Amino acid sequence: MIISIIIPTYNEINYIDELINSLLKNNIKDCEILFADGGSTDGTQEVIKKYSAKYPFIKLVENEKQYVNFGFNKAFKQSVGKYVTLMGAHAKYPPDFFVNAIKYLDADECDAVGGPLVQSGTTSKGKAIAYCLSSKFGVGNTEFRVYKDKRYVDSVAFAVYKREVFEKAGLLDEDLIKNHDDEFHYRLNKFGFRILMVPEMQCEYFVRNSFAGLFKQYYNYGLYKPLVFAKLKTGIRMRHLIPPLFSLYILFLPLAIIFPFYLIPLTIYLVGNFYFSFINSNSFKIKLFSFLAFPIIHFSYGLGFLFGLGKLF
């Protein structure tokens, strides 16, 4: 078996058919596809079982604990591939995704390989969120979100790994409901494994289409980030610290009543937000939604980070 494709799922009825069909069209043989389903109630499991009956290499793995890290770890123990990948159900993959991955891994150019992430929304609000999550103003210098060229990186989305990476570095940390992929890639960096990003493996990821969903997503990312750093004692970047400082600043904004100069940083932020939201070719509606989405990303992540930091003490 060349490759084991592991896909955690939970209530993915809107995506599962298209995802499976895109995988079936991929130019790869000798593969197995393991869906680690967290107890879907919307018909996702039934769709997987339908395909499994027709294609024996498609398998359903029951993930009783629901979360991605538990599902991947359970499926990994049942997998047999020389290479292993953790894939998202909310994404589209190019036809030669696995062929290219195997090419670079077989050539020993890297120990893990993936592509840049093109983020898409299906509504005006979703398109604005996708734009913000692809902007340096929105997510800092996150390489796989803002760059498209071939380069070695600290982390990459939907990577394909050599199996020995897991045998040496371990599986996903089960303490981390979120950010388990970040922690795992930091761990790979500590072990000296090479993570490569290549443009021909670029895939499309569908973002949340609501501000409530965006807030919850980034709050949880922030909440678990301090635990990642506490476990690894490394990997922290300036982009991780700016949002919690921003959120702390916003929480103390009433001080501006006494100290008017306290509004200066907010003014600078709003100017930057206006520039990145409106100085582009997007429609006016998307520009307006972007102006709202940027602070939601920054404040929710920062607030989550502060609460996560508090949990460590």
Side-chain angles (χ1 to χ4, degrees), residues 24-143:
L24 292 174
K25 291 175 184 175
N26 237 277
N27 300 319
I28 183 67
K29 298 178 180 178
D30 296 325
C31 74
E32 60 178 353
I33 305 172
L34 296 90
F35 287 96
D37 190 76
S40 293
T41 57
D42 65 346
T44 297
Q45 285 197 14
E46 288 69 24
V47 173
I48 295 170
K49 289 175 182 176
K50 178 187 73 175
Y51 282 97
S52 181
K54 187 175 181 181
Y55 303 99
F57 56 87
I58 296 178
K59 304 170 185 176
L60 176 65
V61 179
E62 298 284 355
N63 175 19
E64 299 85 358
K65 296 186 178 179
Q66 194 177 96
Y67 295 109
V68 168
N69 46 355
F70 293 104
F72 175 83
N73 289 352
K74 184 175 181 179
F76 178 87
K77 293 169 185 175
Q78 298 180 25
S79 69
V80 295
K82 178 182 177 182
Y83 303 125
V84 182
T85 180
L86 169 61
M87 306 187 77
H90 286 208
K92 281 184 181 179
Y93 305 91
D96 292 328
F97 184 85
F98 300 112
V99 170
N100 284 312
I102 291 168
K103 177 183 71 175
Y104 286 104
L105 293 168
D106 278 348
D108 200 32
E109 286 194 45
C110 55
D111 303 292
V113 61
L117 204 60
V118 172
Q119 297 172 107
S120 301
T122 56
T123 66
S124 293
K125 194 174 289 184
K127 290 174 182 177
I129 291 170
Y131 166 76
C132 294
L133 294 179
S134 305
S135 162
K136 286 188 178 182
F137 184 71
V139 294
N141 202 37
T142 305
E143 293 160 314

Side-chain angles (χ1 to χ4, degrees), residues 5-17:
I5 303 164
I6 299 176
I7 308 174
T9 55
Y10 180 71
N11 287 344
E12 307 292 354
I13 196 63
N14 294 327
Y15 302 93
I16 193 69
D17 263 307

Side-chain angles (χ1 to χ4, degrees), residues 133 139 145 214-222 297 300-301:
L133 294 179
V139 294
R145 294 185 188 274
L214 178 66
F215 186 98
K216 182 179 179 181
Q217 180 186 19
Y218 272 79
Y219 175 85
N220 283 325
Y221 284 162
I297 294 166
S300 60
Y301 181 95

Side-chain angles (χ1 to χ4, degrees), residues 248-263:
L248 203 59
Y249 167 78
I250 293 297
L251 291 173
F252 283 94
L253 202 56
L255 287 174
I257 297 173
I258 304 172
F259 307 106
F261 63 85
Y262 193 76
L263 290 174

